[in-house]
Amino acid sequence: MHPFASYVLRSYYRATGWNEDNLYANLTRSSNAILDFSVPRGLHLSISKAPNGLFNTSYSMNAMPSLNGSVGYIFTSCNLDVKSSGSVRFKDMVERFKVYDQPRRPEGKEEEWLAGERADTRDYLLYGRLYLPTGRLDALYSTRLSPTLQALVAAISDPRSTFSSEKRSRGDNVSNIMFSLQHDIGKWCSEYTYSAEDGMLGVRVLHNFGRLRNPTEPPEDLTSPPGTRPKRVDEEEATGGGLKGRVSAGAEFYISAKERSAGVSTGIRFTTLPDATPPSFQFPQPSSSSPLAQSSRSPPSQPPTTITALFNPMMGHISTAYAARVSRDLSMCSRFDFNVYSYDSEWTMGAEWWMRRAASKHEDELEPSLVPPEQPPVPVPQAESLDIPSDIHGVVKARISTNNNVSLMWEGRLKQMLVSLGFVSDLSSRSKPIKAIGLELSYFSAG
């Protein structure tokens, strides 16, 4: 379950038009959502409040295995549409498998003039969290320097790290400040980072192959027959028995002056086109008697799929993952990790299953990132739910690997509260088969 601060940060990115998915760091985001979900440890309680669209507060407490807590505050320059835990779209609070839309060049805010002078200001977000009783302080500052540039400053201040040389030598809880500059033009996205604690400089680059549609281009004529409809600019020629999609490739390089070390990694991703699975066109629905409406009721032409591969030549680590949505409510993923130097390998499999119940409204709406700014969101009539509306009230995630670790977690909504319950088991241990078990309760309100 996303913490309240992460939910506000994603809402801020959505409100300012920044695409956080077009980063090399998020290249394997779809598979990580299924295989690397975080199971709560112990008992965790969280209460948050958004008194207005600019200011948000959050309080959390861990009751087990040890008692500690934190207090957080968030302030933004723009009004955010923050929902309460009882009305927020459930999928917005869960890290899940998703085929992301083609990246587009970010657009800046409209210019505002007052008495012949520019009156619009630069968007920014301020976040701070104090942990008790340790006194650790986390801070984040994010601002848009231009329509395609975003700067971030993240800092950690831990009083304990100045007194514990042992923890400092291990790199645990060390005070640090990190600067990051992100440049996104749609086709290319680069990120430059600097970490003060170890003097590390890093560069990440991601390139999306193929032409990307300009948001100002007129929409295609969806009422024309398939044979006469003009081919999309990012659409590839169909091949028999294959998947139709796009390819992204990237790399990262970092060097540490303090540690006198460096690292490099490369990655590639293939993902199917989100709008290649009908019906996902972002335009008004045609009449039920039109050919397009009849074709939209047909099964998907291809399953939403993401295939990724990562390679770190210095560490000799290779990781490949295949994730796909095999049905409306079931997504599965498989990942294989291998080290060419030690020959160590690990095979991990996972799945997520969405739980539904009959309701009076649809929750299967288009992802906010898939809707162009000039088009309002429209519901997607899923093939399985054209007649009976459904409401998502929970998701079950499971993971198993060849190292005998098994994880199971349920996330759902009970009344006005979001709940996470899960455990981690080690099948190879007879003395302690359950490694961790936890329950997380989250409640937040708005207005």
Side-chain angles (χ1 to χ4, degrees), residues 25-78:
N26 296 328
L27 189 71
T28 60
R29 193 171 189 174
S30 296
S31 59
N32 291 345
I34 301 178
L35 300 180
D36 297 328
F37 58 87
S38 179
V39 176
R41 307 296 176 101
L43 179 61
H44 181 80
L45 306 175
S46 175
I47 300 177
S48 305
K49 172 69 175 179
N52 53 59
L54 302 178
F55 186 70
N56 304 270
T57 61
S58 178
Y59 310 92
S60 64
M61 181 184 68
N62 292 318
M64 297 174 59
S66 60
L67 182 62
N68 55 74
S70 64
V71 180
Y73 298 94
I74 307 175
F75 182 81
T76 60
S77 61
C78 55

Side-chain angles (χ1 to χ4, degrees), residues 321-337:
Y322 179 92
R325 182 179 295 122
V326 297
S327 68
R328 182 187 64 165
D329 298 327
L330 180 61
S331 300
M332 306 184 71
C333 182
S334 176
R335 183 177 63 197
F336 182 73
D337 296 280

Side-chain angles (χ1 to χ4, degrees), residues 51-372:
N52 53 59
L54 302 178
F55 186 70
N56 304 270
T57 61
S58 178
Y59 310 92
S60 64
M61 181 184 68
N62 292 318
M64 297 174 59
S66 60
L67 182 62
N68 55 74
S70 64
V71 180
Y73 298 94
I74 307 175
F75 182 81
T76 60
S77 61
C78 55
N79 281 285
L80 303 181
D81 185 17
V82 178
K83 306 291 185 180
S84 65
S85 56
S87 60
V88 65
R89 187 171 181 264
F90 182 73
K91 285 190 173 183
D92 290 341
M93 298 301 300
V94 179
E95 192 71 31
R96 57 193 172 84
F97 172 79
K98 177 181 173 183
V99 174
Y100 297 94
D101 189 26
Q102 59 171 332
R104 295 180 174 88
R105 185 185 182 93
E107 296 183 352
K109 295 173 56 178
E110 295 183 0
E111 297 181 358
E112 299 179 5
W113 295 86
L114 181 62
E117 297 182 356
R118 288 282 298 273
D120 53 315
T121 58
R122 202 168 57 194
D123 289 324
Y124 64 89
L125 177 143
L126 288 170
Y127 166 73
R129 178 169 291 274
L130 177 64
Y131 294 86
L132 301 173
T134 61
R136 168 174 166 170
L137 178 64
D138 294 353
L140 174 68
Y141 172 70
S142 174
T143 183
R144 290 286 288 277
L145 303 179
S146 72
T148 60
L149 277 178
Q150 177 173 259
L152 296 96
V153 180
I156 299 176
S157 177
D158 193 342
R160 298 176 303 171
S161 63
T162 59
F163 301 101
S164 177
S165 58
E166 180 182 356
K167 288 187 175 182
R168 175 174 291 273
S169 62
R170 296 200 312 260
D172 296 340
N173 299 322
V174 177
S175 300
N176 188 21
I177 184 170
M178 178 177 291
F179 303 89
S180 177
L181 180 64
Q182 300 172 351
H183 184 211
D184 184 10
I185 59 174
K187 193 178 184 66
W188 285 90
C189 183
S190 55
E191 182 179 10
Y192 311 92
T193 59
Y194 171 73
S195 177
E197 195 277 328
D198 52 0
M200 179 176 291
L201 288 169
V203 178
R204 292 171 174 171
V205 179
L206 181 67
H207 176 68
N208 301 286
F209 292 90
R211 290 182 55 194
L212 302 182
R213 182 176 67 84
N214 192 320
T216 60
E217 292 182 3
E220 57 187 64
D221 184 10
L222 301 178
T223 60
S224 59
T228 60
R229 179 171 60 86
K231 186 170 78 73
R232 295 163 21 127
V233 295
D234 66 332
E235 187 176 355
E236 299 179 359
E237 296 294 339
T239 57
L243 295 175
K244 180 172 57 175
R246 63 179 184 274
V247 176
S248 303
E252 70 173 344
F253 174 78
Y254 54 90
I255 182 172
S256 174
K258 180 179 180 180
E259 302 293 338
R260 297 181 181 180
S261 61
V264 63
S265 71
T266 60
I268 188 171
R269 176 184 63 194
F270 170 84
T271 181
T272 53
L273 301 176
D275 46 340
T277 302
S280 60
F281 301 107
Q282 333 277 313
F283 305 103
Q285 297 295 322
S287 61
S288 58
S289 59
S290 64
L292 182 60
Q294 298 296 331
S295 63
S296 66
R297 298 172 183 266
S298 60
S301 59
Q302 60 179 5
T305 304
T306 299
I307 305 173
T308 58
L310 296 177
F311 177 53
N312 188 324
M314 301 187 69
M315 302 298 296
H317 180 252
I318 300 176
S319 178
T320 59
Y322 179 92
R325 182 179 295 122
V326 297
S327 68
R328 182 187 64 165
D329 298 327
L330 180 61
S331 300
M332 306 184 71
C333 182
S334 176
R335 183 177 63 197
F336 182 73
D337 296 280
F338 180 74
N339 190 285
V340 297
Y341 300 140
S342 63
Y343 297 103
D344 291 335
S345 63
E346 181 182 1
W347 183 29
T348 309
M349 297 169 290
E352 64 177 17
W353 175 56
W354 295 93
M355 306 170 63
R356 301 173 182 266
R357 64 187 172 208
S360 59
K361 62 179 180 178
H362 288 277
E363 189 166 297
D364 289 332
E365 298 176 351
L366 285 175
E367 306 298 336
S369 59
L370 304 185
V371 181

